[in-house]
Amino acid sequence: MSPTPVRFYDPGVTDDHFRLSALVRCPRCERVAHFEWRTGAATDGQGRCRSQQRVVCRSCGLSRISGPGQCWTRPPLWLETTTRHGTIWAYNLEHLDLLRRFVAASLRERAPWYEHGRKMTYVARLPAWIKSAKNRDEVLRAIDRLRASVVSGDPGLADRGPGGRGPAGPGPRRHRAPV
């Protein structure tokens, strides 16, 4: 008798759902920071709504808010790591949790093609190597490393490859010279 499959039902969200709030690398101290994009948060002199961007770092105390007419590029994502198949990234922990639940599930369901609603959801657009069952363990390990990097605040934790010694994997061992 086989174990009961873990089910995942596609919630029908796109990656735009997660884009407004992201965990990024702080521009000042290179630790985890929070990036927020608020639409309609401020108005200009003519009464038009403007979007406002904000970066807040709890480690170094950085707090930047874009002014009127300013537009920044988002700092690099904190939740990003490389596997031998490609790059895994997420905007925030909610996004990472959705990805983890999808990858861990052995039974993945979505709305039938004839139902109204979104067809190209975030889950439907994932690369085939993430969806493949043969890569499930490696992808789940990478996702767990990303989650651990948020908790520990160690940026190098997420960059470790399959062997735990950097992005390239095990590689040659280096020994210290005797003292």
Side-chain angles (χ1 to χ4, degrees), residues 81-95:
T81 190
T82 304
T83 66
R84 64 189 171 118
H85 302 288
T87 303
I88 296 174
W89 59 270
Y91 285 115
N92 51 37
L93 290 174
E94 180 187 4
H95 190 190

Side-chain angles (χ1 to χ4, degrees), residues 29 44 76 115 137 160 175:
C29 70
D44 61 5
E115 280 193 17
D137 291 334
R160 293 190 180 121
H175 299 285

Side-chain angles (χ1 to χ4, degrees), residues 55-133:
V55 176
V56 178
C57 178
R58 294 178 71 184
S59 297
C60 67
L62 174 75
S63 179
R64 289 187 187 161
I65 299 174
S66 64
Q70 287 181 326
C71 189
W72 305 337
T73 57
R74 178 184 37 82
L77 288 174
W78 181 267
L79 298 172
E80 185 173 357
T81 190
T82 304
T83 66
R84 64 189 171 118
H85 302 288
T87 303
I88 296 174
W89 59 270
Y91 285 115
N92 51 37
L93 290 174
E94 180 187 4
H95 190 190
L96 192 66
D97 181 54
L98 177 71
L99 180 61
R100 188 179 202 303
R101 286 186 293 120
F102 173 77
V103 172
S106 56
L107 179 62
R108 300 166 181 163
E109 299 176 317
R110 56 186 285 193
W113 64 271
Y114 53 80
E115 280 193 17
H116 297 289
R118 292 196 171 104
K119 303 297 184 220
M120 292 307 290
T121 62
Y122 167 71
V123 170
R125 291 174 180 247
L126 285 172
W129 64 268
I130 290 181
K131 295 178 183 182
S132 176

Side-chain angles (χ1 to χ4, degrees), residues 128-145:
W129 64 268
I130 290 181
K131 295 178 183 182
S132 176
K134 70 180 182 180
N135 299 328
R136 182 174 292 147
D137 291 334
E138 184 179 350
V139 173
L140 286 174
R141 277 194 307 269
I143 291 171
D144 290 340
R145 280 194 317 266

